[in-house]
Amino acid sequence: MPIHAILKSFGFDENNVIESFGSGLINHTWKITNGSNNYILQKINHHVFKNPEAIDANINFIGAYLIGNYPHYKFVKPLSSANNRTIEYKDGYFRIFPFIENSHSKDIVETPEQAYEAASQFGKFTSLLSGIDIRELQTTIPDFHNLSLRYTQFLHALENGSQQRIKKAASLIEKVKSHEGIVSLYERITGSNDFKLRVTHHDTKISNVLFDDNDKGLCVIDLDTVMPGYFISDVGDMMRTYLSPVSEEEKDFSKIVIRDEFYRAVVQGYYEEMKDVLTETEKTHFFYAGTFIIYMQALRFLTDYINDDVYYGEKYPEQNLVRAGNQFELLQRLLEKKEKLEGILYCDQTAQNSLHKG
Ligand code: GN1
Ligand code: MG
């Protein structure tokens, strides 16, 4: 069993309790208990992350910068193996992190305060790293959030994918086309100098934030998709995953609603940390961020459905079609509130109107 061999290469003895951990779709994660110490072991999905060494290099680069410049920041440092490496290969690439005691993660955002804490952690992460030369950071998944490419891949799937599935997805395929404006705006803004490449997390779901016992944000985790990117990726994925009380897995679409207070919390938490970093143009694209990511995720699920689930797989028949439908519903619900939510744009003055004042 490779897990035992991996643990050994990181200097563990044989007394380990190994349990599956977390709910990610891509990597496989275990919690390891050895005596009174707890760890997180992760196997990197090599089909998705073609260059695991790039992930490892990024994490070590970011870690060294944060530890050197912001020693109070809680950076979760991967363990070093007997070979002095933070990643080891045995039938796959593995790494181990200490389990941060007195911390917890959440699978569901229950209150605006939690959304605020998470958004400020993701904003803080990018802001603290704004001093690094972005060219030093490697791209762990090329074109990961390149919406133009995702759109092209979708068109490609329409030509080469399952004909039967294309028929079943006809109404969603229409929806993709009816929102093409989201793609052209993406091309315009990312082609302009007013949008900057920064250290971007690219997976800002709530389970990637550690909270302390008082439910205050401690730090962000899961740095595999940290690479150069645009702020709309991080803000957008928070909107995608925090604004509705139900997730992308929900089959009853009537439960998908946009909660205004959570929108406010995401914008405020992120804005407060990033206001000196973002350009004026970027500051006017918070709402767009949500539409951009939700649309891209709908497109990714739909493309994968048409391609017979080669990327995400499926746990029940048509899961990716359901998820795509769910995400289009979410997009619709968000767009309906455009005018109202765009009014929630934080400048320093409005930021004083804080959550805690009610
Ligand atoms: C994947 O593996 P997980 O759940 O952290 C995906 C994200 C999607 C998400 C949708 C590398 O993330 O981009 O938003 O599923 N990660 C990768 O649930 O493709
Ligand atoms: Mg992830």
Side-chain angles (χ1 to χ4, degrees):
M1 168 120 161
I3 292 188
H4 294 295
I6 286 292
L7 290 173
K8 201 167 165 211
S9 70
F10 279 91
F12 285 60
D13 63 24
E14 268 147 36
N15 304 314
N16 303 298
V17 180
I18 304 169
E19 302 158 89
S20 229
F21 189 82
S23 54
L25 301 182
I26 301 296
N27 290 332
H28 203 132
T29 308
W30 296 266
K31 184 173 180 189
I32 307 292
T33 306
N34 181 291
S36 56
N37 298 320
N38 297 306
Y39 303 87
I40 292 293
L41 169 72
Q42 222 175 23
K43 180 178 186 186
I44 298 173
N45 182 328
H46 199 180
H47 294 288
V48 170
F49 295 100
K50 304 244 174 346
N51 183 3
E53 301 283 350
I55 297 180
D56 194 49
N58 279 353
I59 293 180
N60 289 320
F61 171 67
I62 287 171
Y65 184 88
L66 289 173
I67 292 164
N69 292 280
Y70 303 99
H72 296 297
Y73 183 77
K74 186 129 210 82
F75 173 73
V76 185
K77 198 172 181 309
L79 303 193
S80 289
S81 70
N83 307 322
N84 208 14
R85 285 169 51 79
T86 44
I87 186 172
E88 285 288 351
Y89 185 87
K90 284 254 159 29
D91 284 345
Y93 288 89
F94 291 82
R95 70 283 172 79
I96 304 180
F97 298 96
F99 189 93
I100 305 298
E101 299 303 332
N102 304 316
S103 79
H104 63 276
S105 58
K106 303 174 187 299
D107 281 325
I108 298 170
V109 188
E110 278 159 343
T111 66
E113 286 75 18
Q114 294 168 355
Y116 172 86
E117 287 296 318
S120 73
Q121 284 305 318
F122 285 111
K124 182 178 193 169
F125 179 74
T126 298
S127 164
L128 292 182
L129 290 164
S130 61
I132 73 159
D133 180 350
I134 196 69
R135 289 169 300 185
E136 300 252 15
L137 203 62
Q138 301 192 43
T139 291
T140 57
I141 304 181
D143 293 310
F144 186 43
H145 280 190
N146 179 344
L147 183 57
S148 310
L149 183 89
R150 296 287 182 192
Y151 196 81
T152 308
Q153 287 170 336
F154 162 74
L155 296 178
H156 198 255
L158 289 185
E159 280 178 20
N160 303 291
S162 152
Q163 283 307 318
Q164 199 194 349
R165 287 183 172 215
I166 289 171
K167 275 203 201 89
K168 282 205 172 161
S171 70
L172 294 186
I173 291 171
E174 274 317 299
K175 287 191 188 175
V176 172
K177 295 189 171 160
S178 73
H179 292 296
E180 265 171 353
I182 296 176
V183 185
S184 30
L185 185 52
Y186 168 81
E187 288 165 358
R188 268 210 308 289
I189 59 184
T190 56
S192 93
N193 272 337
D194 297 328
F195 264 70
K196 305 286 183 209
L197 284 172
R198 303 203 176 80
V199 181
T200 306
H201 187 283
H202 288 108
D203 192 7
T204 54
K205 59 164 138 341
I206 196 78
S207 58
N208 284 338
V209 178
L210 289 187
F211 288 84
D212 69 15
D213 293 340
N214 299 317
D215 248 11
K216 295 288 175 211
L218 273 177
C219 62
V220 302
I221 54 172
D222 187 4
L223 306 185
D224 299 345
T225 49
V226 172
M227 56 185 140
Y230 298 103
F231 95 100
I232 50 174
S233 283
D234 283 358
V235 167
D237 213 34
M238 287 191 269
M239 292 187 180
R240 183 179 83 80
T241 55
Y242 303 178
L243 301 191
S244 164
V246 294
S247 79
E248 66 198 20
E249 301 295 347
E250 180 60 53
K251 296 174 198 157
D252 178 355
F253 296 170
S254 71
K255 292 186 179 154
I256 300 174
V257 290
I258 299 292
R259 301 175 294 184
D260 299 6
E261 342 66 273
F262 288 72
Y263 180 95
R264 182 185 291 274
V266 167
V267 176
Q268 185 181 343
Y270 192 84
Y271 184 89
E272 284 174 3
E273 294 293 332
M274 285 286 288
K275 58 181 182 301
D276 297 332
V277 178
L278 293 173
T279 67
E280 291 310 308
T281 309
E282 285 170 323
K283 288 177 187 172
T284 63
H285 284 77
F286 272 83
F287 182 84
Y288 173 72
T291 63
F292 157 71
I293 284 285
I294 296 168
Y295 179 75
M296 182 159 65
Q297 192 65 57
L299 199 57
R300 291 176 66 192
F301 284 140
L302 186 60
T303 304
D304 200 40
Y305 173 71
I306 297 171
N307 288 336
D308 291 321
D309 318 303
V310 284
Y311 188 82
Y312 285 113
E314 58 171 19
K315 294 206 175 87
Y316 65 87
E318 318 229 305
Q319 184 179 15
N320 284 311
L321 184 64
V322 171
R323 294 200 275 218
N326 168 307
Q327 297 290 285
F328 275 115
E329 188 75 18
L330 182 64
L331 178 63
Q332 199 55 43
R333 295 285 86 80
L334 183 63
L335 285 169
E336 282 162 11
K337 288 197 162 176
K338 182 171 194 298
E339 214 166 299
K340 185 170 182 205
L341 296 179
E342 274 191 330
I344 305 176
L345 175 68
Y346 276 91
C347 55
D348 292 319
Q349 211 182 350
T350 51
Q352 288 166 11
N353 198 357
S354 91
L355 277 178
H356 309 288
K357 281 203 229 154

